Coordinates of all heavy atoms in Angstrom, one line a residue:
K1033 N 17.1 -25.2 -0.4 CA 18.1 -25.8 0.5 C 17.4 -26.5 1.7 O 17.9 -27.5 2.2 CB 19.1 -24.8 0.9 CG 20.3 -25.4 1.7 CD 21.3 -24.3 2.2 CE 20.7 -23.7 3.5 NZ 21.8 -22.9 4.2
N1034 N 16.4 -25.8 2.2 CA 15.8 -26.3 3.5 C 14.7 -27.3 3.3 O 14.5 -28.2 4.1 CB 15.2 -25.1 4.2 CG 16.2 -24.1 4.7 OD1 17.3 -24.5 5.1 ND2 15.9 -22.8 4.7
S1035 N 14.0 -27.3 2.1 CA 12.9 -28.2 1.9 C 13.2 -29.3 0.9 O 12.7 -30.4 0.9 CB 11.7 -27.5 1.4 OG 11.8 -26.9 0.1
G1036 N 14.1 -29.0 -0.1 CA 14.4 -29.9 -1.1 C 13.3 -30.1 -2.2 O 13.4 -31.0 -3.0
K1037 N 12.3 -29.2 -2.1 CA 11.2 -29.4 -3.1 C 11.6 -28.9 -4.5 O 12.2 -27.8 -4.6 CB 10.0 -28.5 -2.6 CG 9.3 -29.1 -1.4 CD 8.1 -28.3 -1.0 CE 7.4 -28.9 0.2 NZ 6.2 -28.1 0.6
A1038 N 11.3 -29.7 -5.5 CA 11.8 -29.4 -6.8 C 11.3 -28.1 -7.4 O 12.0 -27.4 -8.1 CB 11.4 -30.6 -7.8
I1039 N 10.0 -27.8 -7.0 CA 9.4 -26.5 -7.6 C 10.2 -25.3 -7.1 O 10.4 -24.3 -7.9 CB 8.0 -26.4 -7.1 CG1 7.3 -25.2 -7.8 CG2 7.8 -26.3 -5.6 CD1 7.2 -25.3 -9.3
N1040 N 10.8 -25.3 -5.9 CA 11.6 -24.2 -5.4 C 12.9 -24.1 -6.2 O 13.3 -23.0 -6.5 CB 11.9 -24.4 -3.9 CG 10.6 -24.2 -3.1 OD1 9.7 -23.5 -3.4 ND2 10.6 -24.9 -1.9
G1041 N 13.5 -25.2 -6.4 CA 14.7 -25.2 -7.2 C 14.5 -24.8 -8.6 O 15.4 -24.0 -9.2
L1042 N 13.4 -25.2 -9.2 CA 13.1 -24.8 -10.6 C 12.9 -23.3 -10.7 O 13.4 -22.6 -11.6 CB 11.8 -25.5 -11.1 CG 11.4 -25.1 -12.5 CD1 12.4 -25.5 -13.5 CD2 10.1 -25.9 -12.8
I1043 N 12.1 -22.7 -9.8 CA 11.8 -21.2 -9.8 C 13.1 -20.5 -9.5 O 13.4 -19.5 -10.2 CB 10.8 -20.9 -8.7 CG1 9.4 -21.5 -9.1 CG2 10.7 -19.3 -8.6 CD1 8.4 -21.3 -8.0
S1044 N 14.0 -21.0 -8.6 CA 15.2 -20.3 -8.4 C 16.1 -20.3 -9.6 O 16.8 -19.3 -9.9 CB 16.0 -21.0 -7.2 OG 17.2 -20.4 -7.0
A1045 N 16.2 -21.5 -10.3 CA 17.0 -21.6 -11.5 C 16.6 -20.6 -12.5 O 17.4 -19.9 -13.2 CB 17.0 -23.0 -12.0
L1046 N 15.2 -20.5 -12.7 CA 14.7 -19.6 -13.8 C 15.0 -18.2 -13.4 O 15.4 -17.4 -14.2 CB 13.2 -19.8 -13.9 CG 12.8 -21.1 -14.6 CD1 11.3 -21.3 -14.5 CD2 13.2 -21.1 -16.1
A1047 N 14.7 -17.8 -12.1 CA 14.9 -16.4 -11.7 C 16.4 -16.0 -11.8 O 16.7 -14.9 -12.3 CB 14.3 -16.2 -10.3
L1048 N 17.3 -16.8 -11.2 CA 18.7 -16.5 -11.2 C 19.3 -16.5 -12.6 O 20.2 -15.8 -12.9 CB 19.4 -17.4 -10.3 CG 19.2 -17.2 -8.8 CD1 19.9 -18.2 -7.9 CD2 19.5 -15.8 -8.3
G1049 N 18.7 -17.4 -13.5 CA 19.2 -17.5 -14.8 C 18.8 -16.3 -15.7 O 19.5 -15.9 -16.6
L1050 N 17.6 -15.8 -15.4 CA 17.1 -14.7 -16.2 C 17.5 -13.3 -15.7 O 17.5 -12.3 -16.4 CB 15.5 -14.7 -16.2 CG 14.9 -15.9 -17.0 CD1 13.4 -15.9 -16.8 CD2 15.3 -15.8 -18.5
A1051 N 17.9 -13.2 -14.4 CA 18.3 -11.9 -13.8 C 19.4 -11.3 -14.6 O 19.3 -10.0 -14.8 CB 18.7 -12.1 -12.4
P1052 N 20.5 -12.0 -15.0 CA 21.5 -11.3 -15.8 C 21.1 -10.8 -17.2 O 21.7 -9.9 -17.8 CB 22.6 -12.3 -16.0 CG 22.4 -13.3 -14.9 CD 20.9 -13.3 -14.7
I1053 N 19.9 -11.3 -17.7 CA 19.4 -10.8 -19.0 C 18.6 -9.5 -18.7 O 18.4 -8.8 -19.7 CB 18.5 -11.9 -19.6 CG1 19.2 -13.3 -19.6 CG2 18.1 -11.5 -21.0 CD1 20.5 -13.3 -20.3
A1054 N 18.3 -9.3 -17.5 CA 17.7 -8.0 -17.1 C 18.7 -6.9 -16.9 O 18.7 -5.8 -17.4 CB 16.8 -8.1 -15.9
R1055 N 19.7 -7.3 -16.0 CA 20.9 -6.4 -15.8 C 22.1 -7.3 -15.6 O 22.1 -8.2 -14.8 CB 20.7 -5.6 -14.5 CG 20.0 -4.3 -14.7 CD 20.7 -3.3 -15.6 NE 20.0 -2.1 -15.8 CZ 20.2 -1.2 -16.8 NH1 21.1 -1.6 -17.8 NH2 19.6 -0.1 -16.9
V1056 N 23.0 -7.1 -16.5 CA 24.1 -8.1 -16.7 C 24.9 -8.3 -15.4 O 25.4 -9.5 -15.1 CB 25.0 -7.6 -17.8 CG1 25.7 -6.3 -17.5 CG2 26.1 -8.7 -18.1
N1057 N 25.0 -7.3 -14.5 CA 25.9 -7.5 -13.3 C 25.3 -8.5 -12.3 O 25.9 -8.9 -11.4 CB 26.2 -6.2 -12.6 CG 24.9 -5.5 -12.1 OD1 23.9 -5.5 -12.8 ND2 25.1 -4.8 -11.0
L1058 N 24.0 -8.9 -12.5 CA 23.4 -9.8 -11.6 C 23.9 -11.2 -11.8 O 23.5 -12.1 -11.1 CB 21.8 -9.8 -11.7 CG 21.2 -8.8 -10.6 CD1 21.5 -7.4 -10.9 CD2 19.7 -9.1 -10.5
V1059 N 24.7 -11.4 -12.8 CA 25.4 -12.7 -12.9 C 26.2 -13.0 -11.6 O 26.5 -14.1 -11.3 CB 26.3 -12.8 -14.2 CG1 27.5 -11.9 -14.0 CG2 26.6 -14.2 -14.5
L1060 N 26.6 -11.9 -11.0 CA 27.4 -12.0 -9.7 C 26.6 -12.5 -8.5 O 27.1 -12.8 -7.5 CB 28.1 -10.7 -9.4 CG 29.1 -10.2 -10.4 CD1 29.7 -8.9 -10.0 CD2 30.2 -11.2 -10.6
L1061 N 25.2 -12.6 -8.7 CA 24.4 -13.2 -7.7 C 24.7 -14.7 -7.6 O 24.4 -15.3 -6.5 CB 22.9 -12.9 -8.0 CG 22.3 -11.7 -7.4 CD1 20.8 -11.7 -7.7 CD2 22.5 -11.7 -5.9
W1062 N 25.2 -15.3 -8.6 CA 25.4 -16.7 -8.5 C 26.4 -17.1 -7.4 O 26.1 -18.0 -6.7 CB 25.9 -17.3 -9.9 CG 24.9 -17.1 -11.0 CD1 23.6 -16.7 -10.9 CD2 25.1 -17.3 -12.4 NE1 23.0 -16.6 -12.1 CE2 23.9 -17.0 -13.1 CE3 26.2 -17.6 -13.2 CZ2 23.7 -17.0 -14.4 CZ3 26.1 -17.7 -14.6 CH2 24.8 -17.4 -15.2
P1063 N 27.6 -16.5 -7.3 CA 28.5 -16.9 -6.2 C 27.9 -16.5 -4.8 O 28.1 -17.2 -3.8 CB 29.8 -16.1 -6.5 CG 29.4 -15.0 -7.4 CD 28.3 -15.6 -8.2
I1064 N 27.0 -15.4 -4.8 CA 26.4 -15.1 -3.5 C 25.4 -16.2 -3.2 O 25.3 -16.6 -2.0 CB 25.7 -13.7 -3.7 CG1 26.7 -12.6 -3.9 CG2 24.8 -13.5 -2.4 CD1 26.2 -11.3 -4.2
A1065 N 24.7 -16.7 -4.2 CA 23.7 -17.8 -3.9 C 24.5 -19.0 -3.5 O 24.0 -19.8 -2.6 CB 23.0 -18.1 -5.2
A1066 N 25.7 -19.3 -4.0 CA 26.5 -20.4 -3.6 C 26.8 -20.3 -2.1 O 26.8 -21.4 -1.4 CB 27.7 -20.5 -4.4
I1067 N 27.1 -19.1 -1.6 CA 27.4 -19.0 -0.2 C 26.2 -19.4 0.6 O 26.3 -20.0 1.7 CB 27.8 -17.5 0.1 CG1 29.2 -17.3 -0.6 CG2 27.9 -17.2 1.6 CD1 29.7 -15.8 -0.4
L1068 N 25.0 -19.0 0.2 CA 23.8 -19.3 0.9 C 23.5 -20.8 0.9 O 22.7 -21.3 1.8 CB 22.6 -18.6 0.4 CG 22.6 -17.1 0.7 CD1 21.5 -16.3 0.0 CD2 22.5 -16.8 2.2
L1069 N 24.1 -21.6 0.0 CA 23.9 -23.0 0.0 C 24.7 -23.7 1.1 O 24.5 -24.9 1.4 CB 24.3 -23.6 -1.3 CG 23.4 -23.3 -2.5 CD1 24.0 -23.8 -3.8 CD2 22.0 -23.8 -2.3
R1070 N 25.6 -23.0 1.7 CA 26.4 -23.5 2.8 C 25.6 -23.6 4.1 O 24.5 -23.0 4.2 CB 27.7 -22.6 3.1 CG 28.6 -22.6 1.9 CD 29.8 -21.7 2.3 NE 30.4 -22.2 3.5 CZ 31.4 -23.2 3.6 NH1 31.8 -23.7 2.5 NH2 31.9 -23.5 4.7
D1071 N 26.1 -24.2 5.1 CA 25.5 -24.3 6.4 C 26.2 -23.4 7.5 O 25.8 -23.3 8.6 CB 25.5 -25.7 6.9 CG 24.6 -26.6 6.0 OD1 23.5 -26.2 5.6 OD2 25.1 -27.7 5.7
D1072 N 27.3 -22.8 7.1 CA 28.1 -22.0 8.0 C 28.8 -20.9 7.2 O 28.7 -20.8 6.0 CB 29.1 -22.8 8.8 CG 30.0 -23.6 7.9 OD1 30.7 -23.0 7.0 OD2 30.1 -24.9 8.1
G1073 N 29.6 -20.1 7.9 CA 30.3 -18.9 7.3 C 31.7 -19.2 7.0 O 32.5 -18.2 6.7
R1074 N 32.2 -20.4 7.0 CA 33.6 -20.7 6.7 C 33.8 -20.8 5.2 O 34.2 -21.8 4.6 CB 34.0 -22.0 7.4 CG 34.0 -21.9 8.9 CD 34.4 -23.2 9.6 NE 33.6 -24.3 9.3 CZ 34.0 -25.4 8.7 NH1 35.2 -25.6 8.3 NH2 33.1 -26.4 8.4
I1075 N 33.6 -19.6 4.5 CA 33.6 -19.6 3.1 C 35.0 -19.8 2.5 O 35.1 -20.1 1.3 CB 33.0 -18.3 2.5 CG1 33.8 -17.1 2.9 CG2 31.6 -18.2 3.0 CD1 33.3 -15.8 2.3
F1076 N 36.1 -19.7 3.3 CA 37.4 -19.9 2.7 C 38.0 -21.3 3.0 O 39.1 -21.6 2.7 CB 38.4 -18.8 3.4 CG 38.0 -17.4 3.1 CD1 37.5 -16.6 4.0 CD2 38.1 -16.9 1.8 CE1 37.1 -15.3 3.8 CE2 37.7 -15.6 1.5 CZ 37.2 -14.8 2.5
D1077 N 37.1 -22.1 3.5 CA 37.5 -23.5 3.8 C 37.1 -24.3 2.5 O 36.0 -24.7 2.3 CB 36.8 -24.1 5.0 CG 37.2 -25.5 5.4 OD1 37.9 -26.1 4.6 OD2 36.7 -26.0 6.4
V1078 N 38.1 -24.6 1.7 CA 37.9 -25.3 0.5 C 37.3 -26.7 0.7 O 36.4 -27.1 -0.1 CB 39.2 -25.4 -0.3 CG1 39.0 -26.2 -1.6 CG2 39.8 -24.1 -0.6
Q1079 N 37.7 -27.4 1.7 CA 37.2 -28.8 1.9 C 35.8 -28.8 2.2 O 35.0 -29.7 1.8 CB 38.0 -29.4 3.0 CG 39.5 -29.7 2.7 CD 39.6 -30.7 1.5 OE1 38.8 -31.7 1.4 NE2 40.6 -30.5 0.7
S1080 N 35.3 -27.7 2.9 CA 33.9 -27.7 3.3 C 33.0 -27.5 2.1 O 31.9 -28.0 2.0 CB 33.6 -26.6 4.3 OG 33.9 -25.3 3.8
W1081 N 33.5 -26.8 1.1 CA 32.8 -26.6 -0.2 C 32.6 -28.0 -0.9 O 31.6 -28.3 -1.4 CB 33.5 -25.7 -1.1 CG 33.4 -24.2 -0.7 CD1 34.3 -23.5 -0.1 CD2 32.2 -23.4 -1.0 NE1 33.8 -22.2 0.1 CE2 32.6 -22.1 -0.4 CE3 31.0 -23.5 -1.6 CZ2 31.7 -21.0 -0.5 CZ3 30.1 -22.5 -1.6 CH2 30.5 -21.2 -1.1
I1082 N 33.7 -28.7 -0.9 CA 33.7 -30.1 -1.5 C 32.7 -31.0 -0.9 O 32.0 -31.8 -1.5 CB 35.1 -30.7 -1.6 CG1 36.0 -29.8 -2.3 CG2 35.1 -32.1 -2.1 CD1 37.5 -30.2 -2.3
R1083 N 32.5 -30.9 0.5 CA 31.7 -31.8 1.2 C 30.2 -31.4 1.1 O 29.3 -32.2 1.6 CB 32.1 -31.8 2.7 CG 33.4 -32.5 3.0 CD 33.6 -32.7 4.4 NE 33.7 -31.5 5.2 CZ 34.9 -30.9 5.4 NH1 36.0 -31.4 5.0 NH2 34.9 -29.7 6.1
L1084 N 29.8 -30.3 0.5 CA 28.4 -29.9 0.4 C 27.7 -31.0 -0.5 O 28.3 -31.5 -1.5 CB 28.3 -28.6 -0.3 CG 28.6 -27.3 0.6 CD1 28.5 -26.1 -0.2 CD2 27.7 -27.3 1.8
P1085 N 26.5 -31.3 -0.2 CA 25.7 -32.3 -1.0 C 25.6 -31.8 -2.4 O 25.2 -30.6 -2.7 CB 24.3 -32.3 -0.3 CG 24.6 -31.9 1.1 CD 25.7 -30.9 1.0
K1086 N 25.9 -32.6 -3.3 CA 25.9 -32.2 -4.8 C 24.5 -31.8 -5.2 O 24.4 -30.9 -6.1 CB 26.4 -33.4 -5.6 CG 27.8 -33.9 -5.2 CD 28.8 -32.8 -5.4 CE 30.2 -33.3 -5.1 NZ 30.4 -33.6 -3.6
R1087 N 23.5 -32.3 -4.7 CA 22.1 -32.0 -5.1 C 21.8 -30.5 -4.9 O 21.0 -29.9 -5.6 CB 21.1 -32.9 -4.4 CG 19.7 -32.7 -4.9 CD 18.8 -33.8 -4.2 NE 17.4 -33.7 -4.7 CZ 16.5 -32.9 -4.2 NH1 16.7 -32.2 -3.1 NH2 15.2 -32.9 -4.7
R1088 N 22.4 -29.9 -3.9 CA 22.1 -28.5 -3.6 C 22.5 -27.6 -4.7 O 21.9 -26.5 -4.9 CB 22.9 -28.1 -2.3 CG 22.4 -28.6 -1.0 CD 23.1 -27.9 0.1 NE 22.7 -28.5 1.4 CZ 23.2 -28.0 2.6 NH1 24.0 -27.0 2.6 NH2 22.8 -28.6 3.7
W1089 N 23.4 -28.0 -5.6 CA 23.9 -27.2 -6.6 C 23.0 -27.1 -7.9 O 23.2 -26.3 -8.8 CB 25.3 -27.6 -7.1 CG 26.3 -27.5 -6.0 CD1 26.8 -28.5 -5.2 CD2 27.0 -26.3 -5.6 NE1 27.7 -28.0 -4.3 CE2 27.9 -26.6 -4.5 CE3 27.0 -25.0 -6.0 CZ2 28.7 -25.7 -3.9 CZ3 27.8 -24.0 -5.3 CH2 28.6 -24.4 -4.3
L1090 N 22.0 -28.0 -7.9 CA 21.2 -28.1 -9.1 C 20.5 -26.8 -9.5 O 20.6 -26.5 -10.7 CB 20.1 -29.1 -8.9 CG 20.6 -30.6 -8.8 CD1 19.4 -31.5 -8.5 CD2 21.3 -31.0 -10.1
P1091 N 20.0 -25.9 -8.6 CA 19.4 -24.7 -9.1 C 20.5 -23.7 -9.8 O 20.1 -23.1 -10.7 CB 18.8 -24.0 -7.8 CG 18.6 -25.2 -6.9 CD 19.7 -26.2 -7.2
L1092 N 21.7 -23.7 -9.2 CA 22.7 -22.9 -9.8 C 23.1 -23.4 -11.2 O 23.4 -22.6 -12.1 CB 23.9 -22.7 -8.9 CG 23.7 -21.8 -7.7 CD1 25.0 -21.7 -6.9 CD2 23.3 -20.4 -8.2
V1093 N 23.3 -24.7 -11.3 CA 23.6 -25.3 -12.6 C 22.5 -25.0 -13.6 O 22.7 -24.6 -14.7 CB 23.8 -26.8 -12.5 CG1 23.9 -27.5 -13.8 CG2 25.0 -27.1 -11.6
G1094 N 21.2 -25.1 -13.1 CA 20.1 -24.7 -13.9 C 20.1 -23.3 -14.4 O 19.8 -22.9 -15.5
A1095 N 20.5 -22.4 -13.4 CA 20.6 -20.9 -13.7 C 21.6 -20.6 -14.8 O 21.3 -19.9 -15.8 CB 20.9 -20.1 -12.5
V1096 N 22.7 -21.3 -14.8 CA 23.7 -21.1 -15.8 C 23.2 -21.6 -17.2 O 23.4 -20.9 -18.2 CB 25.0 -21.9 -15.5 CG1 26.0 -21.8 -16.6 CG2 25.6 -21.3 -14.2
I1097 N 22.5 -22.7 -17.2 CA 22.0 -23.3 -18.4 C 20.9 -22.3 -19.0 O 20.9 -22.0 -20.2 CB 21.4 -24.7 -18.2 CG1 22.5 -25.7 -17.8 CG2 20.6 -25.2 -19.4 CD1 22.0 -27.0 -17.4
V1098 N 20.0 -21.8 -18.1 CA 18.9 -20.9 -18.6 C 19.5 -19.7 -19.2 O 19.2 -19.2 -20.3 CB 18.0 -20.6 -17.4 CG1 17.1 -19.4 -17.8 CG2 17.2 -21.8 -17.0
C1099 N 20.5 -19.1 -18.5 CA 21.1 -17.8 -18.9 C 21.8 -18.0 -20.3 O 21.5 -17.2 -21.2 CB 22.1 -17.3 -17.9 SG 22.9 -15.7 -18.3
F1100 N 22.6 -18.9 -20.4 CA 23.4 -19.1 -21.7 C 22.5 -19.6 -22.8 O 22.8 -19.4 -24.0 CB 24.6 -19.9 -21.4 CG 25.7 -19.2 -20.7 CD1 25.8 -19.3 -19.3 CD2 26.5 -18.3 -21.4 CE1 26.8 -18.6 -18.6 CE2 27.5 -17.6 -20.7 CZ 27.6 -17.8 -19.3
T1101 N 21.4 -20.3 -22.5 CA 20.5 -20.7 -23.5 C 19.8 -19.5 -24.1 O 19.6 -19.4 -25.3 CB 19.4 -21.7 -23.0 OG1 20.1 -22.9 -22.5 CG2 18.4 -22.1 -24.0
V1102 N 19.3 -18.6 -23.2 CA 18.6 -17.4 -23.7 C 19.6 -16.6 -24.5 O 19.2 -16.0 -25.6 CB 18.1 -16.6 -22.5 CG1 17.6 -15.2 -23.0 CG2 17.0 -17.3 -21.8
V1103 N 20.8 -16.4 -24.1 CA 21.8 -15.6 -24.8 C 22.1 -16.3 -26.2 O 22.1 -15.6 -27.2 CB 23.1 -15.5 -24.0 CG1 24.2 -14.9 -24.9 CG2 22.9 -14.7 -22.8
A1104 N 22.2 -17.6 -26.2 CA 22.5 -18.3 -27.5 C 21.3 -18.1 -28.5 O 21.5 -17.9 -29.7 CB 22.7 -19.8 -27.2
L1105 N 20.1 -18.2 -28.0 CA 18.9 -18.1 -28.8 C 18.7 -16.7 -29.4 O 18.0 -16.5 -30.4 CB 17.7 -18.5 -28.1 CG 17.6 -20.0 -27.8 CD1 16.4 -20.3 -26.9 CD2 17.5 -20.9 -29.1
T1106 N 19.2 -15.7 -28.7 CA 18.9 -14.3 -29.1 C 20.2 -13.5 -29.5 O 20.2 -12.3 -29.6 CB 18.3 -13.5 -27.9 OG1 19.1 -13.6 -26.7 CG2 16.9 -14.1 -27.6
H1107 N 21.2 -14.3 -29.7 CA 22.5 -13.7 -29.9 C 22.6 -12.9 -31.2 O 22.1 -13.3 -32.3 CB 23.6 -14.7 -29.9 CG 25.0 -14.2 -30.2 ND1 25.7 -13.5 -29.2 CD2 25.8 -14.3 -31.3 CE1 26.9 -13.2 -29.7 NE2 27.0 -13.6 -30.9
E1108 N 23.2 -11.7 -31.2 CA 23.5 -10.9 -32.3 C 25.0 -10.7 -32.4 O 25.7 -10.8 -31.4 CB 22.9 -9.5 -32.3 CG 21.3 -9.6 -32.2 CD 20.7 -10.0 -33.5 OE1 21.3 -9.9 -34.5 OE2 19.5 -10.4 -33.4
A1109 N 25.6 -10.5 -33.5 CA 27.0 -10.2 -33.7 C 27.4 -9.0 -32.8 O 26.7 -8.0 -32.7 CB 27.4 -9.9 -35.1
D1110 N 28.5 -9.1 -32.0 CA 29.0 -8.1 -31.2 C 28.1 -7.9 -29.9 O 28.3 -6.9 -29.3 CB 29.2 -6.8 -31.9 CG 30.1 -6.9 -33.1 OD1 31.1 -7.6 -33.0 OD2 29.8 -6.2 -34.1

Side-chain angles (χ1 to χ4, degrees):
K1033 188 184 81 168
N1034 294 327
S1035 69
K1037 292 183 178 180
I1039 186 64
N1040 293 328
L1042 177 62
I1043 295 174
S1044 177
L1046 288 173
L1048 291 177
L1050 292 175
I1053 313 299
R1055 275 299 181 199
V1056 63
N1057 63 322
L1058 264 69
V1059 72
L1060 296 179
L1061 268 182
W1062 297 350
I1064 295 171
I1067 291 175
L1068 288 174
L1069 290 176
R1070 296 181 55 86
D1071 297 315
D1072 55 53
R1074 296 180 298 120
I1075 63 175
F1076 299 110
D1077 183 352
V1078 177
Q1079 292 299 321
S1080 65
W1081 286 100
I1082 298 174
R1083 288 193 296 268
L1084 286 178
K1086 302 301 183 288
R1087 187 172 183 270
R1088 286 191 186 180
W1089 297 100
L1090 290 177
L1092 282 183
V1093 174
V1096 175
I1097 294 173
V1098 168
C1099 182
F1100 286 97
T1101 299
V1102 172
V1103 171
L1105 290 175
T1106 57
H1107 180 73
E1108 300 288 341
D1110 300 322

